Amino acid sequence: MDFIKPYIDQNKDRFLNELFDLLRIPSISADAAYKGDVVKTAEAVANMLKQAGAENVEICQTPGYPVVYGDVIKDPSKPTILVYGHYDVQPPDPLDLWVSGPFEPVIKKTEIHPEGAIFARGACDDKGQMFMHVKALEVMLKNNALPCNVKFMIEGEEEVGSANLEWFVKRNQEKLKNDIILISDTGMLANDTPSITTGLRGLSYVEVEVTGPNRDLHSGLYGGAVANPINILTKMIASLHDENNHITIDGFYDKVDELTRAERDQMAKAPFSLEKYKKALDIDDVWGEKGYTTMERNSIRPTLDVNGIWGGYTGEGAKTVIASKAYAKISMRLVPHQVPEEITELFVKHFTKIAPDYVKVKVTPHHGGLPYVTEIDNPAYIAASKAYEATFGKPAIPVRSGGSIPIVALFEQELGSKSILMGFGLDSDAIHSPNEHFGVFNYLKGIETIPYFYKYFSE
Ligand code: BES
Ligand code: MN
Ligand code: MN
């Protein structure tokens, strides 16, 4: 595998510039105003796959944004790796907090990335990480070293729930047939502490609407005599956690997979500094469910969070008003054995039950997804671990992540394949936040590590 490093060194600038070209297209799947750009990004990904040497490259239409497919089938008797990633990105707002434009990629040094990091929306989630796989394919093909078959499936709707990827997968079982799915859309612990993600949380997401009086009212004339839906909504939300920060929804924990003491002790061995964690977020203390560590709270325990709340007057100055309606968007992160539809139903029942007579509530479910866990004693995990050892000089630590990639559980259901989550981002890379970035070290290290996975998995 001696060819990898020199090839990357020689082509480093081009590898960066090609990624920059992708990052310049604002492929925001959530916002219909960017429809043309999302489609343009699919075309760019298809062209780049072709340039890297992929065959049968296709822009596959779905009822939503297209899925980009490409493959190199060398020998049907060899194993097949299916690479999954997404070319869509989160909206960049709030725009004024970006130091440089979200779609004007630049390299800047940071404390954690002394070799520089690429700043742009999607740099880490997931254009940068997805593109590592395209470049790793180029590295292997140009050096006659692709040891197995490979298929690419890059979607454009991950950030909005992958509904049409589900549609696509169900209709293309044969085309997508594989021995393992390889994904870089997660993170690792630190640049000197490689890790492999062995679990993802599921998701249940609802929007609530609380209605009080039939119109907005003068808060002097009616204040104190009519229930204010914003006051009521905030009180209802506050009651969703008890004094131990346990979620109060009836039945919420019924199916939660409780880890054994031994499993929790194993988890606690992963390096983690609470002091550094607090300092990085500028908080004096952490918060969470009593009886669990921070690492446990953000991975093996379910959560409930308000993601947005609005109503009444939020413009300049003061307007004295009691709003007719108040709204909130609420996410619940789920752990193994919890079922999104069931949790949503429990939420609806509970939220309706706790609503006082002075208001009406309406709950609208949004997209959800199942949690995922994988064992560490299978050949794919072992191959990934050896790959990290080859390029980082130490084996990767298994870590369960708090994030969600709902389609991973669906791949297991529909295609019967497990996924290996080889993420190269860091939690501090600010994905979904202003100033998202991805270390140049991480990008190049990813390109270097991926071919080793191909090699060890094929063996
Ligand atoms: N790549 C992320 C998920 C992720 C990031 C998992 C880091 C683990 C570590 C993905 O693009 C994402 O943002 N997923 C959403 C869910 C989706 C249904 C919108 C999430 O986790 O909020
Ligand atoms: Mn992602
Ligand atoms: Mn994301």
Side-chain angles (χ1 to χ4, degrees):
M1 302 292 269
D2 292 341
F3 59 90
I4 301 177
K5 262 202 165 143
Y7 190 90
I8 293 175
D9 282 344
Q10 274 161 28
N11 294 283
K12 179 182 158 192
D13 291 339
R14 180 172 56 85
F15 284 4
L16 284 164
N17 286 328
E18 288 172 356
L19 172 58
F20 277 29
D21 288 342
L22 271 188
L23 293 170
R24 285 193 191 97
I25 321 175
S27 50
I28 307 165
S29 51
D31 189 339
Y34 291 88
K35 207 171 168 193
D37 290 304
V38 182
V39 172
K40 230 170 93 184
T41 310
E43 286 159 8
V45 171
N47 285 331
M48 287 166 167
L49 264 175
K50 269 182 221 161
Q51 270 167 35
E55 293 155 16
N56 304 309
V57 174
E58 236 185 292
I59 296 177
C60 309
Q61 300 305 325
T62 73
Y65 287 124
V67 175
V68 182
Y69 176 87
D71 62 30
V72 183
I73 307 296
K74 288 187 45 138
D75 175 353
S77 70
K78 295 232 164 95
T80 301
I81 296 175
L82 175 65
V83 175
Y84 163 81
H86 62 95
Y87 63 80
D88 65 321
V89 301
Q90 285 275 322
D93 55 275
L95 273 177
D96 53 316
L97 294 183
W98 282 81
V99 176
S100 51
F103 300 105
E104 293 155 27
V106 282
I107 295 178
K108 287 181 273 190
K109 290 193 163 79
T110 73
E111 209 176 301
I112 292 179
H113 296 292
E115 294 173 45
I118 306 151
F119 280 77
R121 171 58 85 229
C124 179
D125 183 13
D126 179 44
K127 284 175 178 166
Q129 296 212 73
M130 172 272 285
F131 201 58
M132 295 180 319
H133 289 270
V134 180
K135 291 299 98 179
L137 177 70
E138 179 192 315
V139 173
M140 290 182 282
L141 287 175
K142 291 282 146 69
N143 291 282
N144 275 317
L146 180 69
C148 58
N149 307 309
V150 58
K151 298 174 176 174
F152 276 74
M153 170 175 60
I154 314 296
E155 72 152 318
E157 298 189 325
E158 195 278 341
E159 300 292 6
V160 290
S162 302
N164 294 303
L165 186 65
E166 181 170 348
W167 179 95
F168 182 78
V169 169
K170 285 189 168 145
R171 281 164 185 75
N172 290 279
Q173 309 250 353
E174 195 49 42
K175 184 188 187 107
L176 301 174
K177 216 169 154 240
N178 66 80
D179 296 288
I180 190 72
I181 298 174
L182 181 60
I183 306 177
S184 295
D185 193 21
T186 53
M188 60 179 192
L189 287 171
N191 281 358
D192 60 359
T193 318
S195 58
I196 297 171
T197 303
T198 54
L200 295 161
R201 285 196 286 198
L203 184 67
S204 169
Y205 200 110
V206 296
E207 184 165 332
V208 301
E209 178 194 88
V210 173
T211 307
N214 59 2
R215 61 183 168 88
D216 287 6
L217 303 173
H218 187 289
S219 66
L221 297 184
Y222 289 91
V226 174
N228 178 331
I230 302 176
N231 293 9
I232 302 289
L233 173 61
T234 51
K235 205 169 164 181
M236 287 169 72
I237 288 170
S239 79
L240 297 175
H241 289 96
D242 70 10
E243 67 282 4
N244 294 322
N245 298 328
H246 241 75
I247 295 155
T248 56
I249 296 170
D250 296 328
F252 187 83
Y253 292 96
D254 284 0
K255 292 195 175 171
V256 167
D257 183 29
E258 300 284 347
L259 268 64
T260 62
R261 188 67 258 170
E263 285 172 309
R264 291 175 67 187
D265 289 344
Q266 190 59 35
M267 254 189 88
K269 285 191 188 148
F272 175 75
S273 156
L274 193 58
E275 281 321 303
K276 278 194 194 150
Y277 188 83
K278 291 193 281 191
K279 195 165 163 256
L281 300 175
D282 196 16
I283 49 176
D284 291 333
D285 209 352
V286 290
W287 176 96
E289 188 181 359
K290 198 175 165 188
Y292 294 91
T293 65
T294 294
M295 287 264 267
E296 291 171 340
R297 288 168 178 170
N298 70 20
S299 63
I300 59 161
R301 298 300 295 166
T303 62
L304 182 150
D305 278 291
V306 177
N307 292 241
I309 182 163
W310 71 102
Y313 185 68
T314 55
E316 203 181 314
K319 177 188 177 190
T320 50
V321 65
I322 292 174
S324 166
K325 287 175 189 290
Y327 304 85
K329 290 186 192 275
I330 298 173
S331 69
M332 288 160 278
R333 296 281 170 173
L334 313 180
V335 298
H337 308 330
Q338 285 184 300
V339 182
E341 292 77 21
E342 289 175 13
I343 293 293
T344 299
E345 203 183 310
L346 292 177
F347 179 93
V348 173
K349 261 195 204 137
H350 181 83
F351 210 69
T352 313
K353 191 184 83 189
I354 62 170
D357 290 342
Y358 359 97
V359 295
K360 297 178 198 69
V361 303
K362 190 170 115 195
V363 183
T364 312
H366 283 271
H367 58 243
L370 285 161
Y372 178 76
V373 272
T374 178
E375 306 301 325
I376 63 168
D377 53 8
N378 58 62
Y381 184 90
I382 294 164
S385 183
K386 280 167 73 180
Y388 282 93
E389 195 162 358
T391 57
F392 285 83
K394 40 174 128 167
I397 299 171
V399 175
R400 275 173 63 172
S401 170
S404 308
I405 310 177
I407 206 72
V408 172
L410 190 107
F411 288 153
E412 191 167 11
Q413 282 177 357
E414 292 295 326
L415 303 174
S417 2
K418 279 281 180 185
S419 294
I420 282 288
L421 301 159
M422 289 178 72
F424 292 88
L426 302 181
D427 281 357
S428 55
D429 287 346
I431 64 171
H432 294 206
S433 300
N435 306 308
E436 173 178 352
H437 53 279
F438 187 38
V440 173
F441 166 86
N442 303 65
Y443 177 55
L444 300 175
K445 207 65 174 171
I447 300 171
E448 187 190 338
T449 308
I450 290 163
Y452 283 95
F453 175 78
Y454 280 62
K455 172 180 152 69
Y456 295 130
F457 184 69
S458 306
E459 287 170 6

